[in-house]
Amino acid sequence: MSQVFDLVGLGLGPFNLSVAALATGLRSLSTLFLEKNPRFQWHEELMFPEADMQTTYLKDLVTPVDPTNPHSFLNYLVAHGRFYSFLNTNRQVITRREFQHYCRWVSEQLHNAVFGSEVRDVAFHRGLFQIRYGNDRVASARSLCIGTGHVPYIPPGAKDALGPDCFHAKSPELRRLDLRDKRVVVIGGGQTGAEIFKHAIDSYWGPCRSLTLVSRRMTLEALDDSAFVNDYFTPSYTRNFFGLDPTVKSSVIERQKLAGDGITSAYLQQLYKALYLRTIEGNPMKAELLCGRELTHLQRLGSEFRIDLGNKLRSTAEEIRADVVILATGFRSMLPRCLGALESSMQLDDGQRIQISENYRVAWSHDPAARIYAVNFGRHSHGIAEPQISLMAWRSARILNDLLEEEHFRGVRAEPAFIHH
Ligand SMILES: Cc1cc2nc3c(=O)[nH]c(=O)nc-3n(C[C@H](O)[C@H](O)[C@H](O)COP(=O)(O)OP(=O)(O)OC[C@H]3O[C@@H](n4cnc5c(N)ncnc54)[C@H](O)[C@@H]3O)c2cc1C
């Protein structure tokens, strides 16, 4: 019989990469992590050259729970001879490109990370998971860790219009755009929408004829990263939140929206300045922000698109036309197709979301000794830090401690938080 792994990870984005990096130091655990891409990639489609992260570099794959781990960002800097010059740049956050480079460097050192290996299906048979991947290879595992990320969200009214000139921002189309002399509409006023709007103003894809950003929000809103709001991104707050009644969790999450889903103040400042500078000598490209509008319908009419909007403040219907529509409409959580055979055994809550324990175990009706962990699937249960990088290393350590049934990573012990609900 071929090797049976203690844990097989599905997907190698940053979250499972963190689990994989911490697991390599554990001799008693055999692990394998499978990724469909040929090498580590982090939202490559949206990798604008200067784009900064929203999270400090110290919250890397391992440091928060294991600061002497060789896969830390500081070790990456030393290994690449950039430690002193990095410090001289005097930054708290790094570019997304540098974060990807760091993660790729880590992934290349891990014996348990296998790329170019799409997981095709997973079955459960006689107490073991059978994972079919790549060109009909099969791995057996006692436990799984689902880390397949979120999928682009397409608003229902836009589905029929999708094509080469109307696409979600996380699409290959964004990298081969030619917007010269086009009427361009960006739907969505979060960080991604703002970045696309700013790059279009700067003629990154060639000078467009007109540029419109549509947002449900009343203005472009800043990410709130003030001290007490940042307390939401601590282990002890997450534990505290987990203990809340499920019926109140969703309203708390809604009220905390701008803690995790806003535009950085620095970027807003750059964007405002870019708009202002255009007004000095005038600019033939019309650029406008339509805020407080909801997309109601999007339709292709011959060579153009008709975009129907609901003006939320005036309670009126509006219509605009475009040659290119870019949907910066975010992402949503969805189990990957390869888990189809197991899905019906997973327990769902009232909102049809998988139930996840405090230690990130999915509740399922089969053998409890066979564990399914899930990362980035528990915003509804664990709170707004779940889809963020801030607590990824801490979550990875909790998962591995749970699997080992001992407190190997002592860094998971919660420091006191100041906010209590
Ligand atoms: C542009 C952008 C910037 C962001 N910046 C920040 C930030 O600065 N700070 C922050 O806290 N959060 C940020 N986020 C949010 C969050 O950190 C990221 O979305 C992060 O990538 C989530 O990691 P993940 O590992 O869950 O998913 P992903 O990064 O999406 O990785 C999932 C991986 O699974 C693979 N996969 C899927 N299905 C299969 C399969 N069947 N077989 C094998 N492999 C599979 C995919 O190819 C992918 O590589 C950002 C999000 C975006 C979109």
Side-chain angles (χ1 to χ4, degrees), residues 73-149:
F73 182 74
L74 290 183
N75 197 30
Y76 156 82
L77 286 179
V78 173
H80 288 81
R82 293 207 308 272
F83 181 80
Y84 293 103
S85 52
F86 173 79
L87 289 183
N88 288 343
T89 66
N90 204 15
R91 289 175 299 159
Q92 276 279 317
V93 292
I94 57 174
T95 62
R96 295 209 289 261
R97 201 174 274 274
E98 190 167 15
F99 182 71
Q100 176 177 258
H101 195 251
Y102 153 64
C103 289
R104 191 170 286 162
W105 172 77
V106 171
S107 73
E108 285 164 2
Q109 297 174 66
L110 300 182
H111 66 267
N112 57 354
V114 179
F115 288 83
S117 297
E118 178 166 5
V119 176
R120 311 217 178 258
D121 60 63
V122 181
F124 186 68
H125 186 58
R126 294 192 181 175
L128 290 178
F129 295 101
Q130 305 290 342
I131 301 112
R132 201 166 59 80
Y133 68 97
N135 289 332
D136 249 355
R137 300 194 66 178
V138 178
S140 303
R142 282 181 266 277
S143 295
L144 291 181
C145 187
I146 313 167
T148 45

Side-chain angles (χ1 to χ4, degrees), residues 161-167 173 177-187 206-212 285-286 298-307 319-327:
L162 292 181
D165 295 322
C166 173
F167 50 86
E173 279 81 358
L177 264 186
D178 179 358
L179 296 184
R180 274 174 299 178
D181 207 28
K182 301 270 172 57
R183 295 165 299 165
V184 180
V185 171
V186 180
I187 311 276
C208 14
R209 189 170 350 142
S210 69
L211 179 61
T212 306
M285 182 211 305
K286 185 177 151 214
L298 175 52
Q299 187 185 5
R300 174 180 274 285
L301 293 176
S303 62
E304 63 174 8
F305 294 94
R306 171 183 159 159
I307 301 154
E319 178 200 315
I320 51 176
R321 303 273 170 147
D323 304 308
V324 176
V325 182
I326 304 172
L327 301 166

Side-chain angles (χ1 to χ4, degrees), residues 186-224:
V186 180
I187 311 276
Q191 181 77 36
T192 299
E195 286 180 10
I196 293 172
F197 187 70
K198 165 86 168 52
H199 281 78
I201 287 177
D202 295 343
S203 298
Y204 185 75
W205 297 283
C208 14
R209 189 170 350 142
S210 69
L211 179 61
T212 306
L213 183 138
V214 176
S215 177
R216 265 199 302 226
R217 301 180 189 184
M218 294 303 149
T219 183
L220 295 189
E221 291 179 323
L223 183 80
D224 186 348

Side-chain angles (χ1 to χ4, degrees), residues 19 21-31 400-401 404 408-409:
V19 182
L22 287 170
T24 47
L26 304 173
R27 287 179 187 278
S28 59
L29 270 193
S30 57
T31 58
L400 292 169
N401 280 354
L404 291 165
H408 177 87
F409 294 102

